[in-house]
Amino acid sequence: SSDISNAEKLTPEESDALGEISNISMGTAATTLSILVNNRVDITTPTVSYTTLEELSAQCEAPVVFIYISYKTGLQGKNLLILKERDVKVITDLMMGGDGTNVDDTELSDLHLSAICEAMNQMMGSAATSLSSMLNKTIDISPPVADLVDLHDNIDEGSIADFLSGSFVKISFKMEIGDLVDSEIMQLYPVSFAKEMCASITKNMEADTNSTSNEAEK
């Protein structure tokens, strides 16, 4: 997007690193979700791009659920997960012992939002654990907060998250849950936060390389 200068953009190496971090984190999160919904869950193939809220609203047909993830240890900042409203209904119905099929006539309630927060707390908690091993430091999240957002309404980006008023990094994943969901899950990051994660992983890899070469020299 035009309002990100080339200097601010992620380098190809940073984009690759971010895709790899997300791939590993979401792989762990998918395993956790499959236990919660007692169903096969595949979250695959992250695609890293830039977008704006305007572009995002053009892609989203119905209201979506924004899940706010804040880091309280190890990383500074927050990111957002976006799930389609129907996917949230299916996930929460499965968590509550349903079969995930008769959800289309159900209104999304506070109960759904509370249940999806619990699911995301466990999913993103396990993703933070795998991130901890990659970055070699403790990463901890605050309990997520969920909100139903209609992107076609006139919304105040700043009231959702400050970074949404400009361009930001979007990581899209394909998500399948059994035969019930064949959809997409998105993770939104401020560019500065994405760069911080890439810098941490590069630093950690360099430290590993140095300690390996030091061991070899002995």
Side-chain angles (χ1 to χ4, degrees):
S1 296
S2 56
D3 63 335
I4 297 189
S5 71
N6 284 334
E8 289 174 309
K9 281 188 176 179
L10 297 174
T11 64
E13 292 77 18
E14 285 174 329
S15 286
D16 288 348
L18 193 59
E20 188 52 33
I21 292 168
S22 302
N23 202 15
I24 294 168
S25 302
M26 275 299 177
T28 314
T31 305
T32 303
L33 184 60
S34 69
I35 295 164
L36 290 174
V37 298
N38 196 24
N39 226 300
R40 178 181 57 79
V41 175
D42 290 316
I43 300 179
T44 52
T45 333
T47 306
V48 180
S49 60
Y50 297 98
T51 192
T52 61
L53 207 55
E54 197 179 342
E55 288 169 6
L56 208 55
S57 64
Q59 297 162 15
C60 299
E61 296 149 20
V64 291
V65 175
F66 273 36
I67 296 142
Y68 305 83
I69 315 285
S70 294
Y71 291 88
K72 58 181 185 182
T73 312
L75 288 169
Q76 289 295 315
K78 64 169 67 171
N79 64 67
L80 291 172
L81 273 174
I82 300 183
L83 287 166
K84 291 179 181 168
E85 184 182 9
R86 184 181 178 278
D87 299 346
V88 168
K89 291 181 194 172
V90 172
I91 290 168
T92 52
D93 188 57
L94 290 169
M95 285 172 70
M96 293 171 194
D99 62 7
T101 54
N102 299 312
V103 299
D104 291 331
D105 298 328
T106 316
E107 284 262 327
L108 194 81
S109 66
D110 286 346
L111 186 63
H112 288 104
L113 293 178
S114 172
I116 202 67
C117 277
E118 180 48 39
M120 292 299 133
N121 195 27
Q122 295 196 37
M123 275 177 72
M124 300 316 290
S126 58
T129 304
S130 60
L131 201 53
S132 296
S133 350
M134 280 188 277
L135 302 183
N136 204 19
K137 61 180 175 181
T138 304
I139 310 284
D140 207 0
I141 60 165
S142 297
V145 177
D147 202 6
L148 183 67
V149 177
D150 188 343
L151 291 170
H152 298 280
D153 282 351
N154 287 326
I155 56 175
D156 173 14
E157 302 96 332
S159 69
I160 302 177
D162 292 344
F163 73 86
L164 295 180
S165 53
S167 293
F168 44 84
V169 177
K170 177 183 83 171
I171 306 176
S172 310
F173 304 85
K174 187 173 163 54
M175 177 173 74
E176 292 178 8
I177 302 175
D179 299 323
L180 297 163
V181 170
D182 185 351
S183 186
E184 185 184 41
I185 182 171
M186 289 179 271
Q187 204 164 8
L188 311 181
Y189 287 105
V191 179
S192 56
F193 183 74
K195 281 186 167 288
E196 183 198 341
M197 279 212 296
C198 294
S200 294
I201 198 102
T202 308
K203 189 173 162 189
N204 196 37
M205 283 164 64
E206 282 170 357
D208 282 352
T209 309
N210 289 340
S211 64
T212 309
S213 57
N214 288 342
E215 285 297 316
E217 282 168 17
K218 289 177 188 173

